[in-house]
Amino acid sequence: ASAMIAISRLNKKEKDQWLPRFFDLLYENMHRITPSILNRDQEWEQWLNQVSPALDKEPRQVLMCFADGELVGFLQYYTRNDLLMIEEVQISRQYQRTFVFYRLCKHLLDTLPEQISIIEAYADKRNHASVKLMGRLGMVTVEEDESAFIHMRGSAQAIRTIFTKGAAL
């Protein structure tokens, strides 16, 4: 039986109850791909200190995805003028390579302001699946630098078209 999928926007007044759950998802997915010298508690502290104040800024939003009422993914982003910046997408392991990623992105694209024409995102260079996926969306590297992250950019119109067709990624 397929799960009942629901997507909602984080109510920022409730961020303190959701941030630990976002981190759990992130950590579960990333600690193998992108090992750190920090332990889990230190990583949590560092992450919380970056993300919590960032969420207080108006343009930053988080979409949450639930399967049968359980949090299985989130997408953190902000918009500025004609730009959509996707800061984080995490989907729990059993829902990776399922419809969840598509549904999250489709929901986001359907609710974006009309003037958005550019989509950018960052991925850890060690996260080959992410980098490949962005490539399939027609995104290209903006700048290669010494950081651990790759910064990619694509056309919102082209990406909207891919999701409108419902093409399998």
Side-chain angles (χ1 to χ4, degrees), residues 84-131:
L84 164 67
M85 174 60 80
I86 297 179
E87 296 185 286
E88 192 69 67
V89 183
Q90 293 295 335
I91 293 165
S92 66
R93 191 161 308 149
Q94 71 268 36
Y95 285 94
Q96 289 173 9
R97 295 174 188 78
T98 68
F99 225 50
V100 165
F101 175 77
Y102 175 84
R103 289 282 299 274
L104 264 172
C105 293
K106 181 98 175 88
H107 184 93
L108 175 58
L109 292 169
D110 289 346
T111 53
L112 278 180
E114 276 303 295
Q115 75 265 22
I116 298 293
S117 62
I118 300 161
I119 298 181
E120 294 189 4
Y122 285 90
D124 190 295
K125 287 174 180 166
R126 296 169 291 184
N127 191 349
H128 302 300
S130 260
V131 175

Side-chain angles (χ1 to χ4, degrees), residues 134-152:
M134 293 197 285
R136 287 209 293 273
L137 292 173
M139 298 176 79
V140 296
T141 306
V142 179
E143 60 208 326
E144 270 290 3
D145 57 26
E146 295 308 299
S147 90
F149 292 91
I150 185 167
H151 177 191
M152 296 182 81

Side-chain angles (χ1 to χ4, degrees), residues 18-166:
W18 288 104
L19 284 170
R21 297 171 68 183
F22 295 163
F23 181 79
D24 285 345
L25 250 178
L26 173 78
Y27 189 82
E28 177 60 33
N29 285 339
M30 299 306 290
H31 76 278
R32 283 181 204 76
I33 302 173
T34 59
S36 165
I37 53 168
L38 304 179
N39 67 35
R40 193 184 194 286
D41 290 341
Q42 292 168 318
E43 284 210 44
W44 158 248
E45 281 297 308
Q46 191 180 57
W47 184 82
L48 187 66
N49 290 336
Q50 289 169 344
V51 173
S52 188
L55 278 180
D56 294 333
K57 298 191 176 80
E58 177 53 42
R60 275 211 171 67
Q61 301 291 332
V62 181
L63 291 180
M64 303 186 293
C65 184
F66 298 89
D68 297 332
E70 181 196 351
L71 180 72
V72 297
F74 71 94
L75 188 160
Q76 182 185 325
Y77 70 95
Y78 66 84
T79 57
R80 186 178 60 229
N81 306 326
D82 61 349
L83 171 73
L84 164 67
M85 174 60 80
I86 297 179
E87 296 185 286
E88 192 69 67
V89 183
Q90 293 295 335
I91 293 165
S92 66
R93 191 161 308 149
Q94 71 268 36
Y95 285 94
Q96 289 173 9
R97 295 174 188 78
T98 68
F99 225 50
V100 165
F101 175 77
Y102 175 84
R103 289 282 299 274
L104 264 172
C105 293
K106 181 98 175 88
H107 184 93
L108 175 58
L109 292 169
D110 289 346
T111 53
L112 278 180
E114 276 303 295
Q115 75 265 22
I116 298 293
S117 62
I118 300 161
I119 298 181
E120 294 189 4
Y122 285 90
D124 190 295
K125 287 174 180 166
R126 296 169 291 184
N127 191 349
H128 302 300
S130 260
V131 175
K132 225 163 73 183
L133 177 65
M134 293 197 285
R136 287 209 293 273
L137 292 173
M139 298 176 79
V140 296
T141 306
V142 179
E143 60 208 326
E144 270 290 3
D145 57 26
E146 295 308 299
S147 90
F149 292 91
I150 185 167
H151 177 191
M152 296 182 81
R153 173 184 294 155
S155 146
Q157 196 42 54
I159 293 171
R160 275 194 179 101
T161 304
I162 292 171
F163 281 96
T164 307
K165 286 190 182 128

Side-chain angles (χ1 to χ4, degrees), residues 2-14:
S2 68
M4 173 71 204
I5 302 288
I7 293 176
S8 62
R9 185 177 303 272
L10 170 70
N11 173 349
K12 293 183 183 184
K13 289 193 197 73
E14 298 171 0

